[in-house]
Amino acid sequence: WCEEIAPGAVVLHGFVRDHGPELLAAVNAVVAQVPWRHLTTPGGFTMSVAMSWCGNGWTSDSQGYRYSARDPGSGRRWPVIPDILMALADEAAQRAGFGHFVPDACLINRYDPGSKLSLHQDKDEHDFSAPIVSVSLGLPAIFQFGGLQRNDRTQRIPLAHGDVVVWGGPSRLCFHGIMPVKEGFHSLVGSHRINITLRKAR
Ligand code: MD5
Ligand code: FE
């Protein structure tokens, strides 16, 4: 079902629950070309989340954060966003009430048990009017959802395999994070959580 947890933030529970195998195949095809990386933050910390990209990629290093059409490591273009992910982004955005959505950047996050994402805002995209579509696969996680100020109180939202969240409108710039992922095993995905975000970056 469809749940609005804040203005512009819509959880589509189980939206892709029946499409795990195709989605994982798309993830694996991207990862075959862009193997998982642990980026270093501008502050010098190595992220516990492993990442891969298609469309436009996102990079974090001592220079800061940015999107680019090419992999700064290899100089090669990022792989194109698989059709199934383009279609899913459009369907989810429409279902959540945002109309048609054509993303140009896709970030794939892999959380092993213990991996987390500290509270942050997503503000490296040029166009905040477009929503972000986020797909959860594999192990469950607790999403921390705050307000526009870092110190605003946060809600904890459980996300399960197959859930899709569309973040737009007033929720687009809210602080958010992922609590450390608990040990476990998912029959399709194994012992990690995969999150796919589809964005309009440029
Ligand atoms: C995740 N990833 O579960 C999340 C899903 C990231 C990230 O946060 O930056 O890779 S995306 C959640 C999100 C995106 C944009 C806005 C808001 C949440 N929000 O306003 O809460 O790996
Ligand atoms: Fe984020």
Side-chain angles (χ1 to χ4, degrees), residues 6 15 28 31 35 40 44 56 68 98 104 111 118 128 130 139 144-145 149 164 175 188 199:
F15 193 66
N28 290 336
V31 170
T40 303
N56 282 286
S68 62
F98 291 94
D104 64 12
Y111 296 79
S118 305
F128 298 141
L139 293 181
Q144 264 188 303
F145 181 41
Q149 307 292 324
V164 173
F175 276 89
L188 191 66
R199 302 153 187 262

Side-chain angles (χ1 to χ4, degrees), residues 68-92:
S68 62
R70 287 172 186 276
D71 178 349
S74 67
R76 290 167 56 200
R77 284 192 168 277
W78 303 105
V80 297
I81 302 177
D83 288 344
I84 186 177
L85 299 183
M86 295 296 289
L88 153 62
D90 188 52
E91 281 165 30

Side-chain angles (χ1 to χ4, degrees), residues 107 109 111 117 120 122 132 134 143 145 167 171-176 178 193 195 197 199:
L107 163 64
N109 289 331
Y111 296 79
L117 197 57
H120 68 280
D122 290 15
I132 292 179
S134 154
F143 187 85
F145 181 41
W167 307 95
S171 289
R172 177 63 184 76
L173 289 170
C174 287
F175 276 89
H176 59 278
I178 293 284
R193 170 178 189 258
N195 179 266
T197 53
R199 302 153 187 262

